[in-house]
Amino acid sequence: MPKIALLGGSNSVLKDGLKAGLSKNAELYNYALGASTSLQNLHELIKNIEVISNVDCIVTESNVNDFHLVWMANFPIDIVLSNIDKYYDELSKCDTRIIVILLPLVTRCNLAKEINNKHKENILRYGFPYIDLDKLIYKSGLLDFYVRDNGHPNRFLMNYIGSNVSANIFDIPFSESRNLATDMEYYVFDVGNNFDEFQVKKNSIFSRSVHELNYEVLFPSELYGYNILGIEAWSDGYSKLKVETKEKEDSKSYIKAYNNELQFHDFSRCIEVTELTQFMSDLSKDKPSEFSLNAYLVNSFYIEDSKPKNKPYAVKVSSVLLGKRNAKVGFQEQSKLVDKDYSQFVPDLKLLHDFSIESRYKKIRLKKIIKAKLRYIYLKYFIN
């Protein structure tokens, strides 16, 4: 049975959707995480490279969450665009089939166009096969039918696409260009497994070893010189992480708001790790320097969990993604702009819509017939 690695957001986590379709004809390794961007995909790629490098195909989607981070959490778009480049650059080094799905965005604002264009630019640069579902659904005029909530396309449609991909894996070509020259080096610091005091936090989908930051934690010396790019955390409620570099004259601190979900949180500020850098929970009521998806301001109030304490919860950290620039090594093959549109994996959207409406009408009509017969029986045998 072929093997597939799935990298994405909530659309790759939802039951009966994309992951269910991919699992029909393949063994699936799902590294997706809701409300997380392409940087989380990079984090999982680095963390699980031994498994991912041996699969038959990588399926990836992240454009919706990249957009939401900018649109809803007011995250700097230049950082998001740079992270998209980083992700595709590292993805291109994988010597396997790769197919990208561009999911539909419910807006056509300039921010949405910038995000999608950056993805498309990288897709063409590396010659990745792709499915532009955003373009297809808008072209069909059926956006309201296929995207009923913010950023989650119809699950039956996503299941159908996933099933087609997994059934035709070996028809998907390898990319045209691989970037083997790089000036970036990455490291995943697994916080949960590097301390004696840790707990395993899990639900029906995820399981992580997490370390609760009840005191200041220093980075190991081998990480000096790296920059913190993002942190995966899973706290018990609304929390804040403080990263501080204490120097002789002054200290520089950065406070990020977190939520009570397992989520990967991008950093917009470049923080270099030194012997003076420490991270900890911020239990004050001060406003954080920056918010995350699902932990941001609405009408000047924090979005908190349903049972907030008088003070924030302590942050429970799973892992940290770090990166630093190095001199270029290896070589880079000549980049080619190659368009490999695999829209054949998507069913006829108008035909599927008509079939769905007809099926729904038949179900409603059947229910009416059954109700009428039950009413007839009731009147005939129980009333008379």
Side-chain angles (χ1 to χ4, degrees):
M1 180 177 285
K3 297 178 180 180
I4 295 177
L6 178 57
L7 297 161
S10 56
N11 281 290
S12 296
V13 176
L14 292 175
K15 184 180 178 181
D16 302 326
L18 180 62
K19 71 174 183 179
L22 291 171
S23 300
K24 288 180 181 178
N25 304 290
E27 182 180 349
L28 183 66
Y29 298 90
N30 193 353
Y31 301 110
L33 188 60
S36 298
T37 67
S38 56
L39 192 66
Q40 183 271 341
N41 291 356
L42 174 60
H43 167 260
E44 292 296 332
L45 181 62
I46 300 297
K47 185 178 179 181
N48 301 285
I49 190 60
E50 289 186 9
V51 175
I52 295 176
S53 60
N54 289 300
V55 299
D56 297 291
C57 182
I58 298 172
V59 179
T60 177
E61 53 85 9
S62 63
N63 66 311
V64 168
N65 286 348
D66 289 330
F67 168 72
H68 283 168
L69 183 62
V70 178
W71 183 256
M72 299 175 69
N74 198 31
F75 198 87
I77 189 170
D78 59 315
I79 303 296
V80 172
L81 296 178
S82 175
N83 288 340
I84 293 172
D85 284 338
K86 288 184 176 70
Y87 173 53
Y88 281 103
D89 178 64
E90 202 66 24
L91 192 64
S92 73
K93 298 173 187 175
C94 297
D95 188 18
T96 188
R97 299 167 186 84
I98 297 167
I99 185 165
V100 183
I101 303 176
L102 293 176
L103 295 173
L105 293 172
V106 295
T107 176
R108 276 296 184 262
C109 68
N110 287 332
L111 287 178
K113 291 179 181 178
E114 284 190 68
I115 296 293
N116 274 357
N117 287 341
K118 177 57 72 172
H119 278 275
K120 195 66 176 290
E121 175 187 312
N122 280 281
I123 288 168
L124 296 178
R125 174 183 295 131
Y126 297 114
F128 291 150
Y130 70 97
I131 300 170
D132 193 344
L133 195 58
D134 179 70
K135 180 180 178 180
L136 291 172
I137 288 181
Y138 265 94
K139 188 177 179 180
S140 73
L142 297 169
L143 179 67
D144 293 338
F145 175 79
Y146 282 110
V147 188
R148 300 263 175 110
D149 66 347
N150 195 17
H152 296 136
N154 179 283
R155 293 191 193 185
F156 177 80
L157 173 62
M158 297 305 297
N159 188 306
Y160 192 104
I161 294 171
S163 179
N164 276 346
V165 170
S166 62
N168 297 279
I169 284 178
F170 298 109
D171 293 335
I172 299 172
F174 285 74
S175 62
E176 295 290 332
S177 177
R178 295 181 63 207
N179 185 10
L180 302 179
T182 181
D183 60 351
M184 286 297 297
E185 178 183 332
Y186 300 101
Y187 186 90
V188 173
F189 176 44
D190 199 335
V191 179
N193 290 327
N194 274 275
F195 291 89
D196 293 332
E197 297 176 4
F198 73 93
Q199 69 181 82
V200 177
K201 190 173 174 64
K202 59 183 178 179
N203 56 24
S204 60
I205 301 176
F206 303 109
S207 178
R208 293 289 192 277
S209 295
V210 295
H211 176 71
E212 184 171 286
L213 298 180
N214 293 315
Y215 51 86
E216 296 86 354
V217 173
L218 295 171
F219 287 92
S221 58
E222 61 265 26
L223 299 182
Y224 296 167
Y226 280 90
N227 293 318
I228 301 173
L229 302 179
I231 292 182
E232 183 184 80
W234 194 357
S235 303
D236 294 327
Y238 171 78
S239 58
K240 292 182 292 181
L241 175 75
K242 184 177 183 179
V243 180
E244 188 173 47
T245 301
K246 292 187 176 182
E247 298 180 354
K248 293 182 180 180
E249 297 180 356
D250 61 343
S251 61
K252 300 175 182 178
S253 62
Y254 170 89
I255 302 173
K256 180 109 177 174
Y258 285 69
N259 52 43
N260 63 339
E261 302 171 354
L262 172 61
Q263 192 174 324
F264 185 88
H265 305 263
D266 303 32
F267 274 34
S268 69
R269 187 175 301 178
C270 183
I271 302 175
E272 183 180 348
V273 176
T274 70
E275 66 276 9
L276 302 174
T277 305
Q278 58 186 19
F279 57 108
M280 67 206 81
S281 297
D282 180 55
L283 301 179
S284 73
K285 293 185 178 181
D286 296 338
K287 180 180 176 180
S289 311
E290 186 172 276
F291 292 87
S292 303
L293 280 174
N294 299 340
Y296 47 88
L297 282 178
V298 173
N299 297 326
S300 299
F301 292 97
Y302 295 128
I303 290 182
E304 303 181 359
D305 58 286
S306 59
K307 296 179 181 180
K309 291 183 176 181
N310 292 328
K311 62 180 181 179
Y313 291 77
V315 178
K316 293 185 176 181
V317 175
S318 169
S319 57
V320 182
L321 175 64
L322 304 109
K324 66 179 179 180
R325 293 197 174 278
N326 284 334
K328 290 191 176 184
V329 295
F331 67 98
Q332 182 172 2
E333 296 180 8
Q334 182 64 38
S335 295
K336 302 176 183 178
L337 295 180
V338 181
D339 194 309
K340 293 183 178 178
D341 185 349
Y342 270 65
S343 56
Q344 66 263 34
F345 288 154
V346 181
D348 185 313
L349 295 177
K350 291 186 178 179
L351 187 63
L352 186 62
H353 167 264
D354 293 343
F355 174 77
S356 177
I357 297 299
E358 178 65 21
S359 298
R360 191 179 305 168
Y361 170 72
K362 287 180 178 179
K363 288 179 182 178
I364 293 172
R365 188 171 62 180
L366 181 61
K367 286 181 181 179
K368 287 182 177 180
I369 292 172
I370 293 172
K371 283 183 178 180
K373 286 186 176 181
L374 290 174
R375 184 173 182 274
Y376 171 77
I377 294 171
Y378 176 76
L379 292 174
K380 183 177 180 179
Y381 294 101
F382 295 95
I383 301 298
N384 296 335

